[in-house]
Amino acid sequence: MNGASRPEVHYARSGDVSIAYQAVGEGAPDLVFVPFLGNIVWQWEQPLYVRLFRRLSSFARLILLDKRGTGLSDRPRDLPTLETRMDDIRAVMDAAGSERAALMGASAGGQLCALFAATYPERTSALILYGTFARLVRAPDYPIGLPLEALEMFR
C-alpha cells in the first residue's frame, strides 16, 4: 500500500488530548492493535507493517492507534499515568463504534492492553500480548528485571 491508499486518519478525544486512529477492514470481530511506538501514517509505508495489517484486517476490523505522545496523537503537557494512557484505548473504541474488541499489545502496548482488559472485562473479548513484560526494573519479587543502573543510559 502506498501513501495514496492508506486508511483515513480519525481522532478520538481523551481528556484534553486527541488520539489518532484508523479502522481497516470490516466485520466482526474488532481487533485493537496497540504498538510500543508507532506512527499510523509511517507504518503504511513499511512493507512489514502493511503485510501484518492486511493479514489482520482480512478476518477482523482492525483498529490502529498512535498512543498519546506518539505519531499523530497529541503530546501531553504532563506525564500521564498508566491508567490515563490505558483509557485512550477506550476513547478510540468509543469513537470507532467498537463495543467489544480483542486487544493486541506489543511491548509496552501490552501493558496498556492488560490494564484495559482488567478494567473493562466486558469490553474485552481476547488479550494478545507480544514481547510484553510485567515490569522493566528488577524488584525483590521480580528478579528477572533490569537493574536500575542499566536504565541510566536512557536518561
Side-chain angles (χ1 to χ4, degrees):
M1 219 175 243
N2 61 32
S5 56
R6 73 178 155 245
E8 183 179 354
V9 175
H10 302 277
Y11 291 89
R13 201 73 186 147
S14 184
D16 61 349
V17 299
S18 293
I19 306 299
Y21 75 93
Q22 296 171 317
V24 185
E26 297 178 15
D30 284 347
L31 173 61
V32 177
F33 178 63
V34 183
F36 169 62
L37 290 175
N39 178 311
I40 53 179
V41 171
W42 173 83
Q43 289 170 332
W44 285 105
E45 302 297 331
Q46 308 308 310
L48 181 65
Y49 279 108
V50 171
R51 283 193 304 274
L52 173 65
F53 295 163
R54 282 186 177 160
R55 178 70 178 123
L56 293 174
S57 65
S58 73
F59 64 84
R61 181 173 72 132
L62 178 62
I63 301 170
L64 306 168
L65 64 100
D66 282 342
K67 292 186 310 189
R68 175 183 296 244
T70 67
L72 301 177
S73 291
D74 287 347
R75 279 37 178 177
R77 292 180 194 170
D78 300 311
L79 187 63
T81 65
L82 189 61
E83 290 78 10
T84 298
R85 293 175 27 221
M86 172 275 303
D87 206 48
D88 294 343
I89 297 171
R90 183 210 42 81
V92 166
M93 286 177 63
D94 288 350
S98 178
E99 291 295 319
R100 188 171 162 88
L103 304 175
M104 180 177 177
S107 188
Q111 294 165 337
L112 298 177
C113 290
L115 182 57
F116 183 93
T119 305
Y120 300 107
E122 71 284 358
R123 297 198 66 184
T124 306
S125 60
L127 180 61
I128 306 154
L129 304 176
Y130 177 80
T132 299
F133 41 87
R135 61 179 290 149
L136 188 59
V137 178
R138 186 176 296 156
D141 63 341
Y142 195 74
I144 63 172
L146 294 173
L148 188 56
E149 303 79 42
L151 295 180
E152 288 301 316
M153 73 172 121
F154 295 108
R155 285 184 159 267

